[in-house]
Amino acid sequence: MSDGREGAVTAAPLFAGGNEGSEPRWWQRGVIYQVYPRSFQDSNGDGVGDLPGILRRLEYLKWLGADAVWISPFYPSPMRDFGYDVTDHEAVDKAFGSIVDFDAVVREAHARGIRVILDFIPNHTSNRHPWFLESRLSREAPRRDWYIWRDAAPGGGPPNNWRSAFGGSAWEWDSHTRQYYLHTFLREQPDLNWRNPAVERAMHHVVRFWLDRGADGLRVDAVQKVIKDHLFRDDPPNPAYVEGSDDPYDALLHEHSSDQPEIHDVIERMRAVVDGYGGDRVMIGEIYNEVERIVAYYGRDGRGVHFPYNFQLIKLPWDARVIDAAIRRYESLLPPGAWPNWVLGNHDRARVASRVGPAQARVAAMLLLTLRGTPTLYYGDELGMRNVDIPPERVQDPWEKNLPGRGLGRDPVRTPMQWDGSRNAGFSDVEPWLPLSRDCSRVNVRAQERDPTSMLTLHRALLALRRREPALSMGDWAPVQAEESVLAFTRSHGGTRFLVALNMGPEPASLRVGGPGTVELGTLPGSEGQPVDRTLRLRGDEGVIVRLA
Ligand code: NOJ
């Protein structure tokens, strides 16, 4: 089919689709949709989204074509880190509803064939969690060792140089018991001591609590941070750090405060709890690290997480050659049997439409939904929602408050979902907790749902095609040699083969394909159904999926 030159769609190395010989799991075939619950749908007029709001919008998720919804934390919390500071891991915060609402979400999601994935936050609790209140009572308190307490350094000051991810030292002085406690994130988020088996038992109880209630999986927050160096050695300086422009957390390499070998034992035991539910529940790890380190989290003989989140599409420059090399490298580093995954956006990072611009955001959607591995789609990205400027008086994110003006704040990517052109975009009857985007009267579900050229229609078409065609979900992947701004690969399964060709630049480009095919779906109008033979011509910012003959 190919003449063996640039467009050699058959010559490249090939990465096998899925579980050879066994049925794929739902989380391999499916697409995950992330909901940030404060911002999805308010049902009780307090300006904050909630579980009944999610319930109301399940029909939308089904219509869109999502297979699973990952709901960011809704547990009782003082909301210093908007739910990632938990005071009770086995309950629902009043702002989000009740456990009855949670049960209804699970029941109704399942009735629509949608799985429910929860956030599990093992590394830390809120400083108002009863465990921490007990721990800080005295040095002899029964729960003292549930958190990480250390004496001051010999000359005074924090025990070592570890930094908090949200700015400043990772140690906070407790004047009552005259020791420091460790907090990888906010001082209101003390780190649990996972070297204490009682902590592990209590946290396994949490996992069982939610899986017993029907949760289909867990996204495990900051999992590489859970175990720290037992000698508490200083982290070394990062030679690549640029003072003033880089995030101060990156001034050190987190050699001793993160990603310790013992973490894999902790994960294996957590995974065993999850596997105790029959092997159909999924455990996903949140790990920001180099790809070589990330793939280690599949664990020994696959006993780690089912997949560690792969954030390369968020972090890398939007350049066809860079992304092409990264995909090839990732595929080649995956251990045997490991299942890949891809993410374009989440509640911590800039929106894809702001990072790459609206034209390329369409190409990015096609990339996310045609790569091999589970895609995770962040709410609102299917509309092309962009980062929203937050006036200083409305800033909520503690990261922005601690380190203002550096662009670290996450409020811009957490603004309310844009449902329709009504007041507050159909999100709430009252002023939402974060401002709405100024373009919400134009960029919303209602305006886009029937527009054949909209971002939402493109997402629905991509999701439907992926669901229809096993080649796009479970099929083999092979890179295709392309030049300059074009990124290309094939996906194949049985006798079906697709070529995905993405022009990641604004100028027209072409790709030799060496054989006949038909455009199945394009990011720009007018390409569908067009025959392709030998040379595929792409307009600027155009992506196409070609069904090869
Ligand atoms: C990662 C979460 O995604 C982020 O939102 C949170 O602030 C930190 N972990 C701390 O839990």
Side-chain angles (χ1 to χ4, degrees):
M1 124 131 267
S2 140
D3 60 6
R5 304 202 325 173
E6 307 91 298
V9 293
T10 49
L14 204 103
F15 290 89
N19 321 350
E20 298 316 309
S22 63
E23 273 296 292
R25 303 263 185 221
W26 62 266
W27 49 265
Q28 294 179 302
R29 225 180 8 223
V31 176
I32 301 173
Y33 183 97
Q34 182 191 352
V35 163
Y36 193 68
R38 294 183 71 82
S39 297
F40 201 55
Q41 177 67 59
D42 178 17
S43 75
N44 62 348
D46 61 359
V48 171
D50 44 44
L51 292 175
I54 295 174
L55 191 65
R56 236 176 83 190
R57 296 298 187 178
L58 286 174
E59 229 7 77
Y60 167 75
L61 296 183
K62 184 171 175 220
W63 172 84
L64 180 63
D67 299 273
V69 55
W70 151 32
I71 311 175
S72 292
F74 48 74
Y75 318 113
S77 164
M79 302 291 164
R80 300 307 298 254
D81 190 21
F82 295 103
Y84 285 95
D85 49 327
V86 178
T87 52
D88 181 354
H89 292 87
E90 299 182 1
V92 172
D93 194 287
K94 284 195 189 63
F96 295 119
S98 70
I99 198 80
V100 175
D101 297 320
F102 171 77
D103 290 342
V105 167
V106 170
R107 194 177 54 245
E108 292 302 316
H110 286 174
R112 289 165 178 79
I114 297 173
R115 315 279 177 146
V116 180
I117 299 173
L118 304 190
D119 233 297
F120 174 51
I121 305 150
N123 180 68
H124 46 270
T125 67
S126 159
N127 62 340
R128 296 201 218 150
H129 193 296
W131 297 342
F132 189 70
L133 298 180
E134 283 179 45
S135 182
R136 80 188 315 179
L137 278 178
S138 76
R139 291 195 189 194
E140 291 72 41
R143 285 220 163 87
R144 184 66 169 178
D145 195 37
W146 279 45
Y147 292 83
I148 300 172
W149 294 95
R150 304 289 289 175
D151 289 334
N160 66 21
N161 71 349
W162 294 356
R163 294 203 171 192
S164 154
F166 290 144
S169 169
W171 296 97
E172 181 72 8
W173 178 246
D174 177 53
S175 52
H176 175 56
T177 58
R178 305 195 58 74
Q179 276 189 314
Y180 282 91
Y181 67 84
L182 182 68
H183 59 92
T184 300
F185 296 94
L186 296 175
R187 65 165 67 89
E188 294 88 356
Q189 290 169 297
D191 282 29
L192 283 163
N193 176 16
W194 275 75
R195 292 186 188 271
N196 178 346
V199 167
E200 179 161 323
R201 275 196 301 276
M203 293 306 274
H204 284 182
H205 190 276
V206 174
V207 171
R208 289 197 192 91
F209 178 85
W210 294 107
L211 296 183
D212 284 341
R213 295 198 94 90
D216 299 286
L218 304 171
R219 172 265 192 194
V220 187
D221 185 72
V223 66
Q224 65 174 337
K225 311 284 182 192
V226 162
I227 292 280
K228 290 88 179 165
D229 178 36
H230 68 289
L231 297 174
F232 293 91
R233 284 168 286 189
D234 273 0
D235 276 336
N238 175 3
Y241 176 70
V242 182
E243 181 81 50
S245 66
D246 289 347
D247 177 354
Y249 183 60
D250 297 333
L252 301 178
L253 298 170
H254 309 293
E255 201 173 293
H256 300 299
S257 54
S258 185
D259 194 24
Q260 300 298 293
E262 302 96 308
I263 187 57
H264 299 291
D265 303 324
V266 171
I267 293 176
E268 271 183 27
R269 293 192 294 267
M270 208 184 274
R271 168 74 185 268
V273 175
V274 173
D275 284 351
Y277 286 77
D280 210 26
R281 317 282 176 117
V282 69
M283 188 168 135
I284 306 168
E286 186 219 22
I287 298 138
Y288 283 92
N289 208 328
E290 303 304 318
V291 188
E292 298 79 357
R293 299 302 315 146
I294 285 174
V295 294
Y297 284 78
Y298 287 100
R300 292 163 287 225
D301 303 320
R303 281 180 280 133
V305 293
H306 288 101
F307 56 84
Y309 260 143
N310 163 22
F311 297 119
Q312 293 180 88
L313 296 181
I314 293 184
K315 298 200 302 190
L316 291 172
W318 199 248
D319 174 279
R321 298 286 60 80
V322 173
I323 304 275
D324 185 44
I327 299 168
R328 292 173 195 237
R329 187 140 178 282
Y330 175 60
E331 284 280 3
S332 67
L333 284 171
L334 288 172
W339 184 249
N341 77 94
W342 297 93
V343 185
L344 270 183
N346 62 32
H347 62 296
D348 293 326
R349 301 288 162 139
R351 289 235 180 229
V352 60
S354 292
R355 278 187 283 118
V356 305
Q360 279 297 315
R362 298 175 71 90
V363 175
M366 185 168 274
L367 175 64
L368 176 74
L369 294 166
T370 54
L371 279 168
R372 191 175 82 94
T374 307
T376 300
L377 184 61
Y378 185 49
Y379 85 93
D381 281 353
E382 76 274 27
L383 304 174
M385 274 176 66
R386 302 219 231 170
N387 294 349
V388 176
D389 284 338
I390 309 293
E393 68 281 7
R394 296 214 43 192
V395 166
Q396 303 275 352
D397 185 12
W399 202 359
E400 178 67 28
K401 288 182 178 169
N402 284 356
L403 297 163
R406 289 169 174 259
L408 295 170
R410 299 164 294 176
D411 296 330
V413 310
R414 296 175 173 180
T415 60
M417 177 68 175
Q418 297 162 199
W419 294 106
D420 57 40
S422 69
R423 201 164 139 255
N424 302 321
F427 165 73
S428 177
D429 297 337
V430 302
E431 180 74 24
W433 75 289
L434 280 175
L436 279 148
S437 162
R438 280 216 295 273
D439 64 10
C440 66
S441 59
R442 198 167 36 82
V443 179
N444 62 58
V445 173
R446 179 70 58 79
Q448 293 193 11
E449 63 191 346
R450 283 193 198 88
D451 173 356
T453 65
S454 73
M455 187 70 162
L456 183 56
T457 300
L458 174 66
H459 275 84
R460 269 193 90 208
L462 284 164
L463 284 158
L465 184 62
R466 190 180 171 100
R467 184 183 297 276
R468 238 181 8 250
E469 294 290 349
L472 291 175
S473 56
M474 300 305 298
D476 294 345
W477 168 89
V480 169
Q481 203 59 36
E483 272 157 24
E484 298 185 348
S485 63
V486 178
L487 169 64
F489 50 88
T490 56
R491 301 296 314 276
S492 47
H493 178 81
T496 310
R497 200 152 59 119
F498 290 102
L499 166 70
V500 180
L502 308 168
N503 184 356
M504 295 174 68
E507 302 302 328
S510 61
L511 175 77
R512 294 190 54 142
V513 290
T518 312
V519 176
E520 180 85 22
L521 185 60
T523 59
L524 298 180
S527 61
E528 276 142 45
Q530 292 294 316
V532 174
D533 198 8
R534 300 197 78 76
T535 302
L536 173 65
R537 296 191 197 287
L538 294 166
R539 290 169 276 180
D541 300 316
E542 180 172 37
V544 293
I545 302 173
V546 177
R547 187 187 288 273
L548 294 169

